[in-house]
């Protein structure tokens, strides 16, 4: 049992807050202590929130940040530059493990307790099961939750589907629904988008998802996606996704920067969820998703950082702040609590994980303890809004996942951060 004692404010969910104590027992939030004993952590002067859920990341790109030729360039130049870097270093299970270790460490230290890794890079002849296992092992060793998405970017459709089946058999044998019994690992499938993958890829990966009860994820309606779809098919991405069977309630679409009002209505009618990724979309020149309009239409919106090749940081709270700041450029403002809810419950909904993203009784005990007693928060009248408005680069003092403390006093509990960084640097150098 774990008791967080004396919190200044506890954010239970988007509409419920209180002060005082929060009790965790057997990995879940409980109304009161079910038994005596356990650890008590003094959290006076702190705000407690649900753990952040990064709904869209490319963990491999943690090894390829700020590469020359990737900043301020068109997608047509960005893609071959990244591909050349992948080829030079060599994408294998060792690199996947090292990059995931550092990427998830960065996330945990910034409050991310669950990350969705849309893995798109599968070199010819690569051991895809080994890459997936290495990623999952790295994340489990750190104590975080992982949604591993067997993605595709111009892969052979049959090979992509066979790889997805092999990964499921190796990582979640005999499981239906795509989530491990302990909730720490989830599998999903997801072509990169209609700009890169064929109808056959979408259909075959959709069949894999249907057989095993997996969530489906893709990227849509960045401006480049729209331009390529119009050039190649004479149609917009949403039209193609609907025709290919990928407008449905089990689908989450990332980006959605260039969508019309009619398309928003179609997405809402289909029951899809969306992922906003402003920390990627702005530097890539893709625009700003009309988040307020999406939410007003009834679409649940989550938040993701995307990868290091486009967003050189994996700091989801910083991107939540950015989302809040740029919202008025494309619609009405969005308040801090709503954006925080996007980074927690909104992202969790897109993963089909109702136990995550809130701190109501029975929720998975994933939470962050944010110390708001320092100079950067002095004069802040609303400490919850201040989590986003004040103190850019804020980090949580403690992070708890499944009832276990994985970050204590700003440091990892289960691994040595410096050793993980050194291991990635050594692997890249080879």
């Amino acid at each position: 049992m774990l008791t967080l004692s004396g919190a200044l404010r506890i954010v239970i969910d988007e509409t419920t807050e209180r002060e005082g104590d929060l009790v965790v027992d057997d990995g879940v939030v409980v109304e009161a202590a079910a038994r005596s004993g356990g650890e008590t952590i003094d959290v006076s002067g702190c705000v407690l929130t649900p753990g952040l859920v990064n709904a869209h990341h490319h963990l491999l790109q943690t090894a390829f940040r700020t590469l020359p030729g990737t900043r301020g360039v068109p997608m047509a130049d960005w893609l071959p530059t990244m591909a050349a870097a992948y080829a030079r270093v060599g994408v294998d299970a060792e690199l996947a493990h090292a990059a995931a270790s550092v990427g998830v460490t960065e996330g945990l230290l910034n409050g991310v307790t669950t990350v969705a890794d849309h893995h798109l890079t599968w070199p010819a002849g690569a051991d895809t099961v080994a890459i997936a296992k290495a990623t999952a092992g790295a994340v489990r060793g750190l104590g975080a939750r992982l949604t591993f998405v067997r993605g595709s970017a111009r892969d052979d459709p049959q090979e992509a589907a066979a790889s997805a089946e092999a990964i499921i058999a190796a990582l979640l044998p005999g499981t239906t629904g795509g989530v491990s019994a302990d909730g720490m690992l989830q599998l999903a499938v997801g072509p990169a988008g209609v700009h890169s993958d064929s109808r056959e890829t979408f259909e075959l990966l959709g069949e894999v998802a249907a057989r095993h009860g997996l969530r489906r994820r893709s990227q849509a309606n960045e401006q480049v996606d729209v331009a390529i779809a119009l050039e190649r098919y004479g149609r917009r991405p949403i039209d193609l996704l609907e025709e290919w069977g990928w407008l449905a309630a089990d689908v989450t679409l990332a980006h959605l920067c260039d969508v019309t009002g009619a398309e928003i209505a179609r997405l809402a009618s289909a029951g899809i969820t969306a992922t906003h990724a402003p920390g990627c979309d702005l530097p890539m020149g893709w625009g700003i998703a009309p988040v307020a309009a999406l939410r007003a239409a009834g679409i649940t919106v989550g938040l993701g950082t995307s990868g290091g090749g486009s967003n050189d940081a994996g700091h989801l709270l910083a991107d939540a702040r950015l989302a809040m700041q740029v919202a008025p450029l494309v619609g009405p403002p969005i308040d801090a609590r709503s954006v925080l809810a996007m980074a927690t419950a909104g992202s969790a909904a897109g993963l089909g994980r109702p136990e995550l993203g809130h701190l109501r009784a029975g929720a998975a005990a994933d939470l962050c303890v944010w110390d708001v007693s320092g100079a950067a928060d002095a004069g802040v009248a609303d400490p919850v809004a201040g989590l986003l408005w004040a103190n850019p680069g804020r980090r949580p003092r403690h992070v708890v996942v499944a009832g276990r403390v994985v970050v204590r006093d700003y440091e990892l509990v289960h691994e040595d951060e410096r050793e993980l960084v050194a291991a990635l640097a050594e692997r890249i150098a080879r």
Side-chain angles (χ1 to χ4, degrees):
M1 189 171 71
L2 175 66
T3 301
L4 292 304
S5 175
L8 175 68
R9 194 74 60 85
I10 303 172
V11 179
I12 304 297
D13 55 33
E14 187 174 0
T15 61
T16 308
E17 299 171 13
R18 62 175 177 81
E19 59 185 28
D21 298 352
L22 186 77
V23 181
V24 170
D25 197 9
D26 198 25
V28 300
V29 177
V30 296
E31 292 282 6
R35 53 186 172 81
S36 60
E39 181 183 8
T40 297
I41 300 177
D42 180 4
V43 294
S44 55
C46 298
V47 173
L48 272 57
T49 70
L52 307 182
V53 179
N54 189 341
H56 187 65
H57 203 338
H58 306 291
L59 286 173
L60 181 69
Q61 291 180 13
T62 304
F64 303 95
R65 303 197 246 198
T66 68
L67 292 180
T70 63
R71 304 271 71 84
V73 300
M75 189 74 165
D77 296 331
W78 183 88
L79 283 171
T81 302
M82 293 296 294
Y86 297 148
R88 183 175 64 252
V89 176
V91 176
D92 58 11
E94 183 186 10
L95 179 66
H97 186 280
S101 295
V102 172
V104 172
T105 289
E106 180 186 18
L108 278 175
L109 291 173
N110 292 315
V112 174
T113 54
T114 300
V115 61
D117 176 26
H118 196 171
H119 190 101
L120 297 172
T121 306
W122 309 95
D127 186 339
T128 62
V129 170
I131 288 172
K133 278 187 170 181
T135 303
V139 179
R140 183 173 286 275
L142 288 160
R145 299 184 195 267
L146 171 69
T147 298
F148 185 81
V149 186
R150 201 305 178 184
S152 170
R154 301 178 180 84
D155 296 357
D156 176 83
Q158 299 284 344
E159 290 180 4
S163 167
E165 289 283 3
I167 289 170
I168 295 164
L171 272 66
L172 292 179
T175 301
T176 300
V179 181
S180 62
D182 62 3
M184 300 301 289
L185 174 64
Q186 180 177 11
L187 298 180
V189 295
V194 302
H195 60 277
S196 67
D197 292 289
S198 67
R199 177 172 187 157
E200 184 181 8
T201 300
F202 276 86
E203 290 180 344
L204 290 178
L205 286 179
E207 291 171 6
V208 172
R211 276 194 295 274
H212 299 281
L214 307 187
R215 299 286 300 184
R216 295 182 288 168
R217 309 180 67 81
S218 191
Q219 303 171 124
N221 289 62
E222 316 100 314
Q223 275 115 340
V224 65
D225 185 57
V226 174
I228 292 174
L230 287 170
E231 178 183 354
R232 188 173 297 164
Y233 301 100
R235 305 175 69 189
R236 288 173 63 86
I238 301 301
D239 299 323
L240 297 170
L241 290 170
E242 185 171 40
E243 184 178 298
W244 298 353
W246 274 64
L247 284 195
D250 65 323
V251 173
T252 299
L253 298 177
H255 303 299
L256 296 178
C257 300
D258 181 10
V259 285
T260 67
E263 287 173 335
I264 290 173
R266 289 165 63 191
L267 295 171
S269 178
I272 69 103
T273 51
T275 303
H276 185 31
C280 161
D281 296 336
L282 270 72
M284 293 299 289
W286 293 338
I288 304 168
V291 173
L294 293 169
R295 285 166 54 92
I299 296 172
T300 298
V301 181
L303 198 67
T305 60
S306 199
S310 57
N311 179 356
D312 297 304
H315 194 321
L316 192 66
L317 194 73
D319 282 10
R321 186 177 193 269
L322 177 63
M324 182 178 64
Q325 291 177 314
V326 301
L329 298 177
V330 292
I334 306 175
D335 66 272
R337 283 171 174 79
S338 295
V339 177
L340 182 61
M342 286 166 48
T344 52
S347 292
L351 299 177
R353 302 293 296 275
E355 78 277 21
L356 304 180
H358 62 93
L359 294 177
R360 299 187 293 272
D366 297 3
L367 59 95
C368 299
V369 178
W370 309 90
D371 190 335
V372 296
S373 63
D377 290 288
V380 170
D382 181 345
V384 175
L387 291 178
L388 272 65
W389 283 115
N391 195 2
R394 181 191 302 277
R395 290 173 56 171
R397 181 172 181 177
H398 310 302
V399 178
V400 176
V401 182
R404 295 181 291 271
V405 180
V406 296
V407 173
R408 188 184 296 271
D409 290 321
Y410 306 102
E411 298 285 344
L412 290 178
V413 171
H414 300 301
E415 298 280 359
D416 186 303
E417 179 184 356
R418 294 165 187 79
E419 290 181 0
L420 298 177
V421 171
L424 178 59
E426 191 277 332
R427 176 60 186 83
I428 294 170
R430 281 190 277 122

